[in-house]
Short mmCIF file of all heavy atoms in Angstrom, two decimals:
data_model
loop_
_atom_site.label_atom_id
_atom_site.label_comp_id
_atom_site.label_asym_id
_atom_site.label_seq_id
_atom_site.Cartn_x
_atom_site.Cartn_y
_atom_site.Cartn_z
N MET A 1 -68.96 42.21 99.59
CA MET A 1 -67.54 42.37 99.84
C MET A 1 -67.18 43.82 99.86
O MET A 1 -67.58 44.53 98.84
CB MET A 1 -66.78 41.48 98.89
CG MET A 1 -65.31 41.68 99.04
SD MET A 1 -64.33 40.57 98.19
CE MET A 1 -64.61 40.92 96.44
N GLU A 2 -66.61 44.26 100.78
CA GLU A 2 -66.10 45.72 100.79
C GLU A 2 -64.72 45.80 100.29
O GLU A 2 -63.88 45.02 100.67
CB GLU A 2 -66.20 46.22 102.18
CG GLU A 2 -67.58 46.51 102.72
CD GLU A 2 -67.55 47.24 104.08
OE1 GLU A 2 -66.68 47.97 104.32
OE2 GLU A 2 -68.44 46.89 104.93
N ILE A 3 -64.47 46.75 99.54
CA ILE A 3 -63.07 47.03 99.14
C ILE A 3 -62.60 48.33 99.72
O ILE A 3 -63.25 49.35 99.65
CB ILE A 3 -63.02 47.17 97.61
CG1 ILE A 3 -63.47 45.83 96.95
CG2 ILE A 3 -61.66 47.53 97.16
CD1 ILE A 3 -63.56 45.94 95.46
N GLN A 4 -61.45 48.21 100.44
CA GLN A 4 -60.89 49.48 101.03
C GLN A 4 -59.60 49.82 100.44
O GLN A 4 -58.93 48.95 99.85
CB GLN A 4 -60.65 49.23 102.58
CG GLN A 4 -61.93 48.96 103.35
CD GLN A 4 -61.52 48.72 104.82
OE1 GLN A 4 -60.38 48.53 105.21
NE2 GLN A 4 -62.54 48.67 105.71
N GLY A 5 -59.34 51.01 100.42
CA GLY A 5 -58.03 51.51 99.84
C GLY A 5 -56.87 50.99 100.71
O GLY A 5 -56.94 50.49 101.76
N VAL A 6 -55.70 51.26 100.10
CA VAL A 6 -54.47 50.77 100.75
C VAL A 6 -54.33 51.53 102.10
O VAL A 6 -53.96 50.88 103.13
CB VAL A 6 -53.22 51.04 99.93
CG1 VAL A 6 -51.99 50.68 100.61
CG2 VAL A 6 -53.41 50.26 98.60
N ASN A 7 -54.65 52.73 102.12
CA ASN A 7 -54.53 53.47 103.29
C ASN A 7 -55.91 54.04 103.71
O ASN A 7 -56.34 55.10 103.25
CB ASN A 7 -53.49 54.77 103.08
CG ASN A 7 -53.12 55.38 104.35
OD1 ASN A 7 -53.50 54.95 105.47
ND2 ASN A 7 -52.27 56.33 104.27
N ALA A 8 -56.58 53.35 104.54
CA ALA A 8 -57.90 53.72 104.89
C ALA A 8 -57.96 54.93 105.75
O ALA A 8 -58.96 55.78 105.67
CB ALA A 8 -58.54 52.58 105.72
N SER A 9 -56.98 55.17 106.54
CA SER A 9 -56.92 56.51 107.34
C SER A 9 -55.66 57.23 106.96
O SER A 9 -54.51 56.72 106.83
CB SER A 9 -56.91 56.13 108.85
OG SER A 9 -55.68 55.86 109.33
N GLY A 10 -55.81 58.56 106.77
CA GLY A 10 -54.68 59.41 106.44
C GLY A 10 -53.67 59.58 107.53
O GLY A 10 -52.51 60.01 107.35
N THR A 11 -54.07 59.25 108.73
CA THR A 11 -53.10 59.59 109.91
C THR A 11 -52.00 58.59 109.95
O THR A 11 -50.86 58.89 110.38
CB THR A 11 -53.90 59.40 111.22
OG1 THR A 11 -54.43 58.16 111.32
CG2 THR A 11 -54.96 60.49 111.29
N THR A 12 -52.14 57.37 109.33
CA THR A 12 -51.15 56.40 109.36
C THR A 12 -49.93 56.82 108.51
O THR A 12 -48.74 56.76 108.94
CB THR A 12 -51.63 55.06 108.92
OG1 THR A 12 -52.70 54.63 109.70
CG2 THR A 12 -50.55 53.91 108.90
N GLY A 13 -50.26 57.32 107.34
CA GLY A 13 -49.18 57.85 106.45
C GLY A 13 -48.49 59.07 106.96
O GLY A 13 -47.25 59.18 106.92
N ALA A 14 -49.22 59.93 107.69
CA ALA A 14 -48.65 61.11 108.30
C ALA A 14 -47.75 60.71 109.44
O ALA A 14 -46.72 61.28 109.58
CB ALA A 14 -49.72 62.03 108.72
N SER A 15 -48.22 59.75 110.21
CA SER A 15 -47.42 59.44 111.40
C SER A 15 -46.08 58.71 110.95
O SER A 15 -45.03 58.92 111.57
CB SER A 15 -48.19 58.53 112.38
OG SER A 15 -48.50 57.35 111.75
N LEU A 16 -46.14 57.92 109.84
CA LEU A 16 -44.94 57.30 109.30
C LEU A 16 -44.03 58.37 108.82
O LEU A 16 -42.82 58.23 108.91
CB LEU A 16 -45.30 56.25 108.29
CG LEU A 16 -46.05 55.03 108.77
CD1 LEU A 16 -46.47 54.17 107.52
CD2 LEU A 16 -45.12 54.22 109.76
N GLU A 17 -44.56 59.36 108.09
CA GLU A 17 -43.68 60.43 107.65
C GLU A 17 -42.99 61.20 108.75
O GLU A 17 -41.78 61.45 108.71
CB GLU A 17 -44.51 61.29 106.77
CG GLU A 17 -43.65 62.42 106.02
CD GLU A 17 -44.47 63.27 105.16
OE1 GLU A 17 -45.82 63.05 104.97
OE2 GLU A 17 -43.90 64.24 104.55
N VAL A 18 -43.71 61.46 109.76
CA VAL A 18 -43.09 62.06 110.95
C VAL A 18 -42.06 61.27 111.61
O VAL A 18 -40.98 61.83 111.93
CB VAL A 18 -44.24 62.50 112.00
CG1 VAL A 18 -43.61 63.01 113.32
CG2 VAL A 18 -45.21 63.56 111.44
N LYS A 19 -42.27 59.95 111.73
CA LYS A 19 -41.26 59.06 112.31
C LYS A 19 -39.98 59.10 111.41
O LYS A 19 -38.91 59.11 111.94
CB LYS A 19 -41.91 57.69 112.49
CG LYS A 19 -40.97 56.72 113.23
CD LYS A 19 -40.72 57.23 114.60
CE LYS A 19 -39.86 56.28 115.32
NZ LYS A 19 -39.45 56.73 116.68
N ALA A 20 -40.20 59.06 110.12
CA ALA A 20 -39.09 59.01 109.21
C ALA A 20 -38.27 60.30 109.31
O ALA A 20 -37.02 60.28 109.32
CB ALA A 20 -39.52 58.75 107.77
N LEU A 21 -38.91 61.45 109.41
CA LEU A 21 -38.26 62.66 109.59
C LEU A 21 -37.49 62.83 110.88
O LEU A 21 -36.42 63.25 111.02
CB LEU A 21 -39.22 63.87 109.48
CG LEU A 21 -39.78 64.06 108.08
CD1 LEU A 21 -40.93 65.16 108.16
CD2 LEU A 21 -38.71 64.49 107.08
N GLN A 22 -38.08 62.20 112.00
CA GLN A 22 -37.50 62.15 113.29
C GLN A 22 -36.14 61.35 113.26
O GLN A 22 -35.12 61.77 113.78
CB GLN A 22 -38.41 61.67 114.41
CG GLN A 22 -39.45 62.58 114.77
CD GLN A 22 -40.44 61.98 115.63
OE1 GLN A 22 -40.59 60.75 115.81
NE2 GLN A 22 -41.29 62.78 116.40
N LEU A 23 -36.15 60.18 112.55
CA LEU A 23 -35.12 59.35 112.39
C LEU A 23 -33.99 60.03 111.60
O LEU A 23 -32.86 59.93 111.92
CB LEU A 23 -35.49 58.00 111.82
CG LEU A 23 -36.22 57.10 112.65
CD1 LEU A 23 -36.71 55.90 111.78
CD2 LEU A 23 -35.47 56.52 113.85
N ALA A 24 -34.39 60.69 110.56
CA ALA A 24 -33.42 61.44 109.73
C ALA A 24 -32.75 62.58 110.44
O ALA A 24 -31.52 62.72 110.45
CB ALA A 24 -34.12 61.98 108.43
N LYS A 25 -33.53 63.23 111.25
CA LYS A 25 -32.86 64.36 112.15
C LYS A 25 -31.95 63.74 113.17
O LYS A 25 -30.83 64.29 113.37
CB LYS A 25 -34.01 65.13 112.84
CG LYS A 25 -33.50 66.23 113.74
CD LYS A 25 -34.57 66.99 114.43
CE LYS A 25 -33.99 68.01 115.39
NZ LYS A 25 -35.08 68.56 116.24
N SER A 26 -32.35 62.63 113.77
CA SER A 26 -31.46 61.97 114.77
C SER A 26 -30.18 61.55 114.12
O SER A 26 -29.04 61.68 114.67
CB SER A 26 -32.26 60.83 115.38
OG SER A 26 -31.42 60.08 116.20
N ASN A 27 -30.27 60.98 112.90
CA ASN A 27 -29.09 60.47 112.30
C ASN A 27 -28.22 61.71 111.90
O ASN A 27 -27.01 61.60 111.99
CB ASN A 27 -29.56 59.78 110.96
CG ASN A 27 -28.37 58.98 110.34
OD1 ASN A 27 -27.47 58.67 110.96
ND2 ASN A 27 -28.41 58.87 109.01
N GLN A 28 -28.70 62.77 111.42
CA GLN A 28 -27.96 64.00 111.07
C GLN A 28 -27.20 64.53 112.43
O GLN A 28 -26.08 64.83 112.32
CB GLN A 28 -28.86 65.12 110.57
CG GLN A 28 -28.96 65.12 109.14
CD GLN A 28 -29.72 66.36 108.65
OE1 GLN A 28 -30.65 66.90 109.42
NE2 GLN A 28 -29.45 66.73 107.44
N GLU A 29 -27.91 64.46 113.53
CA GLU A 29 -27.30 64.99 114.80
C GLU A 29 -26.09 64.06 115.17
O GLU A 29 -25.07 64.49 115.60
CB GLU A 29 -28.35 65.07 115.90
CG GLU A 29 -29.33 66.16 115.66
CD GLU A 29 -30.49 66.13 116.71
OE1 GLU A 29 -30.59 65.13 117.44
OE2 GLU A 29 -31.25 67.02 116.75
N ILE A 30 -26.26 62.69 115.04
CA ILE A 30 -25.21 61.78 115.36
C ILE A 30 -24.04 61.96 114.42
O ILE A 30 -22.86 62.06 114.88
CB ILE A 30 -25.79 60.30 115.29
CG1 ILE A 30 -26.73 60.17 116.47
CG2 ILE A 30 -24.67 59.32 115.38
CD1 ILE A 30 -27.55 58.80 116.29
N GLU A 31 -24.27 62.07 113.11
CA GLU A 31 -23.17 62.33 112.24
C GLU A 31 -22.51 63.60 112.46
O GLU A 31 -21.31 63.72 112.36
CB GLU A 31 -23.68 62.30 110.77
CG GLU A 31 -24.13 60.87 110.33
CD GLU A 31 -24.57 60.82 108.85
OE1 GLU A 31 -24.73 61.89 108.27
OE2 GLU A 31 -24.94 59.78 108.40
N GLY A 32 -23.25 64.67 112.81
CA GLY A 32 -22.56 65.95 113.09
C GLY A 32 -21.74 65.88 114.33
O GLY A 32 -20.63 66.47 114.35
N ALA A 33 -22.20 65.20 115.37
CA ALA A 33 -21.44 65.05 116.60
C ALA A 33 -20.13 64.27 116.26
O ALA A 33 -19.06 64.59 116.75
CB ALA A 33 -22.19 64.37 117.63
N ALA A 34 -20.19 63.19 115.47
CA ALA A 34 -19.04 62.49 115.10
C ALA A 34 -18.09 63.30 114.30
O ALA A 34 -16.88 63.15 114.52
CB ALA A 34 -19.43 61.27 114.36
N THR A 35 -18.57 64.14 113.39
CA THR A 35 -17.65 64.98 112.64
C THR A 35 -16.99 65.99 113.56
O THR A 35 -15.79 66.18 113.30
CB THR A 35 -18.57 65.72 111.58
OG1 THR A 35 -19.13 64.76 110.71
CG2 THR A 35 -17.64 66.62 110.66
N LEU A 36 -17.77 66.58 114.45
CA LEU A 36 -17.07 67.49 115.40
C LEU A 36 -15.98 66.82 116.24
O LEU A 36 -14.94 67.33 116.42
CB LEU A 36 -18.13 68.13 116.28
CG LEU A 36 -19.02 69.21 115.59
CD1 LEU A 36 -20.12 69.68 116.55
CD2 LEU A 36 -18.18 70.32 115.11
N GLN A 37 -16.25 65.67 116.68
CA GLN A 37 -15.26 64.92 117.43
C GLN A 37 -14.05 64.54 116.68
O GLN A 37 -12.97 64.69 117.09
CB GLN A 37 -15.94 63.67 117.99
CG GLN A 37 -15.07 62.83 118.95
CD GLN A 37 -15.68 61.54 119.43
OE1 GLN A 37 -16.75 61.17 118.92
NE2 GLN A 37 -15.11 60.89 120.35
N LEU A 38 -14.22 64.22 115.39
CA LEU A 38 -13.12 63.99 114.52
C LEU A 38 -12.30 65.23 114.32
O LEU A 38 -11.10 65.14 114.32
CB LEU A 38 -13.54 63.43 113.18
CG LEU A 38 -12.54 63.07 112.07
CD1 LEU A 38 -11.66 61.94 112.58
CD2 LEU A 38 -13.23 62.67 110.79
N LEU A 39 -12.94 66.29 114.01
CA LEU A 39 -12.24 67.58 113.84
C LEU A 39 -11.46 68.00 115.12
O LEU A 39 -10.28 68.49 115.08
CB LEU A 39 -13.22 68.70 113.39
CG LEU A 39 -13.73 68.56 112.02
CD1 LEU A 39 -14.84 69.57 111.78
CD2 LEU A 39 -12.60 68.69 110.95
N GLU A 40 -12.08 67.82 116.27
CA GLU A 40 -11.42 68.19 117.52
C GLU A 40 -10.20 67.30 117.74
O GLU A 40 -9.22 67.82 118.29
CB GLU A 40 -12.42 68.16 118.67
CG GLU A 40 -13.39 69.29 118.64
CD GLU A 40 -14.54 69.07 119.67
OE1 GLU A 40 -14.54 68.06 120.37
OE2 GLU A 40 -15.39 70.03 119.74
N SER A 41 -10.36 66.08 117.45
CA SER A 41 -9.19 65.11 117.70
C SER A 41 -8.04 65.42 116.70
O SER A 41 -6.93 65.24 117.04
CB SER A 41 -9.66 63.72 117.58
OG SER A 41 -10.02 63.40 116.26
N ALA A 42 -8.40 65.89 115.52
CA ALA A 42 -7.39 66.17 114.53
C ALA A 42 -6.58 67.52 114.92
O ALA A 42 -5.43 67.77 114.56
CB ALA A 42 -7.95 66.37 113.17
N ALA A 43 -7.36 68.42 115.73
CA ALA A 43 -6.67 69.69 116.11
C ALA A 43 -5.62 69.44 117.21
O ALA A 43 -4.68 70.19 117.38
CB ALA A 43 -7.71 70.58 116.62
N ASP A 44 -5.61 68.31 117.85
CA ASP A 44 -4.65 67.98 118.91
C ASP A 44 -3.35 67.50 118.34
O ASP A 44 -2.38 67.37 119.06
CB ASP A 44 -5.23 66.99 119.91
CG ASP A 44 -6.45 67.52 120.67
OD1 ASP A 44 -6.59 68.71 120.69
OD2 ASP A 44 -7.25 66.69 121.23
N VAL A 45 -3.33 67.12 117.11
CA VAL A 45 -2.11 66.55 116.48
C VAL A 45 -1.07 67.66 116.28
O VAL A 45 -1.42 68.64 115.71
CB VAL A 45 -2.43 65.89 115.16
CG1 VAL A 45 -1.20 65.31 114.46
CG2 VAL A 45 -3.39 64.77 115.41
N PRO A 46 0.19 67.49 116.74
CA PRO A 46 1.10 68.62 116.55
C PRO A 46 1.46 68.75 115.00
O PRO A 46 1.59 67.78 114.28
CB PRO A 46 2.34 68.14 117.28
CG PRO A 46 2.19 66.64 117.56
CD PRO A 46 0.75 66.41 117.49
N LYS A 47 1.58 69.97 114.60
CA LYS A 47 1.76 70.31 113.20
C LYS A 47 3.31 70.16 112.87
O LYS A 47 3.64 69.83 111.73
CB LYS A 47 1.28 71.62 112.79
CG LYS A 47 -0.11 71.94 113.25
CD LYS A 47 -1.03 71.27 112.22
CE LYS A 47 -2.50 71.67 112.42
NZ LYS A 47 -3.28 70.72 113.09
N VAL A 48 4.15 70.55 113.84
CA VAL A 48 5.60 70.55 113.48
C VAL A 48 6.33 69.66 114.45
O VAL A 48 5.96 69.59 115.64
CB VAL A 48 6.12 72.02 113.72
CG1 VAL A 48 7.60 72.06 113.40
CG2 VAL A 48 5.34 72.96 112.79
N SER A 49 7.28 68.89 113.93
CA SER A 49 8.09 68.01 114.72
C SER A 49 8.96 68.79 115.65
O SER A 49 9.41 69.94 115.35
CB SER A 49 8.87 67.10 113.84
OG SER A 49 9.79 66.30 114.65
N SER A 50 9.23 68.24 116.76
CA SER A 50 10.17 68.89 117.78
C SER A 50 11.63 68.90 117.21
O SER A 50 12.38 69.77 117.60
CB SER A 50 10.14 68.20 119.16
OG SER A 50 10.52 66.90 118.97
N ASN A 51 11.96 67.95 116.34
CA ASN A 51 13.28 67.94 115.73
C ASN A 51 13.14 68.27 114.28
O ASN A 51 12.69 67.38 113.52
CB ASN A 51 13.93 66.56 115.96
CG ASN A 51 15.28 66.49 115.47
OD1 ASN A 51 15.85 67.50 114.87
ND2 ASN A 51 15.99 65.41 115.68
N PRO A 52 13.54 69.47 113.78
CA PRO A 52 13.30 69.78 112.40
C PRO A 52 14.16 68.95 111.44
O PRO A 52 13.89 68.85 110.20
CB PRO A 52 13.71 71.28 112.23
CG PRO A 52 14.52 71.55 113.49
CD PRO A 52 14.10 70.49 114.52
N ALA A 53 15.20 68.24 111.92
CA ALA A 53 16.07 67.43 111.01
C ALA A 53 15.33 66.15 110.62
O ALA A 53 15.68 65.54 109.66
CB ALA A 53 17.33 67.11 111.72
N ILE A 54 14.37 65.68 111.39
CA ILE A 54 13.66 64.45 110.97
C ILE A 54 12.87 64.63 109.76
O ILE A 54 12.03 65.63 109.60
CB ILE A 54 12.64 64.02 112.13
CG1 ILE A 54 13.47 63.66 113.43
CG2 ILE A 54 11.80 62.94 111.80
CD1 ILE A 54 12.73 63.29 114.63
N GLY A 55 13.08 63.77 108.83
CA GLY A 55 12.34 63.81 107.53
C GLY A 55 13.01 64.84 106.49
O GLY A 55 12.48 64.85 105.38
N SER A 56 14.08 65.40 106.83
CA SER A 56 14.69 66.36 105.85
C SER A 56 15.61 65.55 104.87
O SER A 56 15.82 66.03 103.77
CB SER A 56 15.48 67.42 106.53
OG SER A 56 16.56 66.78 107.32
N ASN A 57 16.03 64.42 105.22
CA ASN A 57 16.93 63.54 104.33
C ASN A 57 16.16 62.43 103.83
O ASN A 57 15.50 61.71 104.53
CB ASN A 57 18.11 63.01 105.11
CG ASN A 57 19.10 64.22 105.55
OD1 ASN A 57 19.13 65.25 104.90
ND2 ASN A 57 19.71 63.92 106.57
N ILE A 58 16.12 62.29 102.45
CA ILE A 58 15.40 61.18 101.79
C ILE A 58 16.51 60.20 101.21
O ILE A 58 17.29 60.68 100.47
CB ILE A 58 14.48 61.69 100.82
CG1 ILE A 58 13.44 62.62 101.43
CG2 ILE A 58 13.80 60.49 100.15
CD1 ILE A 58 12.63 63.31 100.38
N ASP A 59 16.48 58.91 101.63
CA ASP A 59 17.34 57.96 101.04
C ASP A 59 16.74 57.48 99.76
O ASP A 59 15.70 56.80 99.64
CB ASP A 59 17.47 56.84 102.00
CG ASP A 59 18.45 55.77 101.53
OD1 ASP A 59 19.30 56.04 100.64
OD2 ASP A 59 18.58 54.67 102.14
N THR A 60 17.37 57.89 98.55
CA THR A 60 16.88 57.43 97.32
C THR A 60 17.48 56.11 96.82
O THR A 60 17.18 55.66 95.72
CB THR A 60 17.16 58.49 96.30
OG1 THR A 60 18.57 58.79 96.26
CG2 THR A 60 16.42 59.77 96.69
N PHE A 61 18.46 55.54 97.55
CA PHE A 61 19.06 54.25 97.10
C PHE A 61 18.38 53.10 97.91
O PHE A 61 18.36 53.16 99.08
CB PHE A 61 20.56 54.33 97.35
CG PHE A 61 21.27 55.39 96.65
CD1 PHE A 61 21.58 56.55 97.28
CD2 PHE A 61 21.56 55.26 95.33
CE1 PHE A 61 22.38 57.56 96.69
CE2 PHE A 61 22.18 56.30 94.60
CZ PHE A 61 22.60 57.50 95.35
N ALA A 62 18.08 52.12 97.20
CA ALA A 62 17.46 50.93 97.77
C ALA A 62 18.37 49.83 98.09
O ALA A 62 19.36 49.67 97.52
CB ALA A 62 16.27 50.43 96.94
#
């Protein structure tokens, strides 16, 4: 009976590591693109209301 190690060839482990790194890089690129899209969409929101009186009075009586 022959006993072989868990990883008979070193290339399998290396190829799995490369694939994992490729997936991690792809995930980083997707998250970066989503972050940029979120920042760009937030930049389009007007900072100041067209009517400065809106929100200046607060009703404290319920």
Side-chain angles (χ1 to χ4, degrees):
M1 174 169 64
E2 289 185 34
I3 299 175
Q4 294 182 350
V6 175
N7 194 1
S9 86
T11 58
T12 304
S15 64
L16 290 176
E17 185 177 357
V18 169
K19 186 63 176 173
L21 291 173
Q22 288 173 341
L23 289 172
K25 180 182 176 190
S26 174
N27 192 28
Q28 271 187 329
E29 290 173 349
I30 291 170
E31 288 179 357
T35 302
L36 287 176
Q37 185 179 9
L38 179 63
L39 289 172
E40 289 172 355
S41 68
D44 295 339
V45 176
K47 304 284 188 260
V48 179
S49 173
S50 60
N51 185 354
I54 294 177
S56 61
N57 295 330
I58 301 172
D59 184 14
T60 58
F61 300 101

